[in-house]
């Protein structure tokens, strides 16, 4: 899911509240590696500072949502899109070792 758009995640938040008492939900929230790169890229063009600012704001909105969901007891995999599949397997193995799944 795209956690950088909080208004679109209300249904997700309600569903997680229902699931958490009996289940261990895992939210896969990949973020584009390109956005992370744009947030820290040095300015070479007059538009680059505005692009970097937009990328940082996008990251901040997503991090706020991640923190909110984690406070509910949900595992959130907030990984770059090209690393998500590995993170899902690693998280599952970790939860299994702790006997949570």
């Amino acid at each position: 899911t795209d956690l950088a758009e909080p208004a679109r995640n209300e249904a997700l938040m309600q569903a997680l509240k229902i699931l958490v008492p009996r289940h261990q939900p895992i939210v896969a929230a990949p973020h584009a590696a390109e956005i992370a790169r744009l947030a820290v890229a040095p300015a070479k063009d007059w538009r680059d500072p505005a692009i970097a600012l937009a990328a940082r704001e996008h990251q901040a909105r997503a991090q706020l949502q991640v923190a909110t969901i984690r406070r509910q007891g949900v595992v959130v995999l907030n990984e770059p899109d090209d690393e998500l599949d590995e993170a899902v397997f690693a998280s599952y193995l970790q939860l299994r070792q702790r006997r949570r799944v």
Side-chain angles (χ1 to χ4, degrees), residues 5 9 11 36 44 46 48 56 68 73-74 77 93 97 101:
E5 298 300 328
N9 292 320
K44 295 179 182 174
W46 66 272
D48 291 344
R56 286 192 296 271
T68 299
V74 176
L77 304 177
L93 291 174
Q97 286 176 346
V101 292

Side-chain angles (χ1 to χ4, degrees), residues 14-49:
Q14 290 175 352
L16 292 173
K17 286 179 185 178
I18 294 168
L19 288 171
V20 168
R22 296 185 56 158
H23 303 281
Q24 176 58 71
I26 299 173
V27 172
H31 56 271
E34 181 68 9
I35 290 175
R37 187 190 67 72
L38 289 171
V40 297
K44 295 179 182 174
D45 185 82
W46 66 272
R47 294 172 286 203
D48 291 344

Side-chain angles (χ1 to χ4, degrees), residues 1 4 18 21 32 38 45 48-49 54 57-59 63 67 77 87 92 95:
T1 188
I18 294 168
L38 289 171
D45 185 82
D48 291 344
E57 288 176 354
H58 180 88
Q59 288 178 317
Q63 289 303 319
L77 304 177
Y92 174 77
L95 289 168

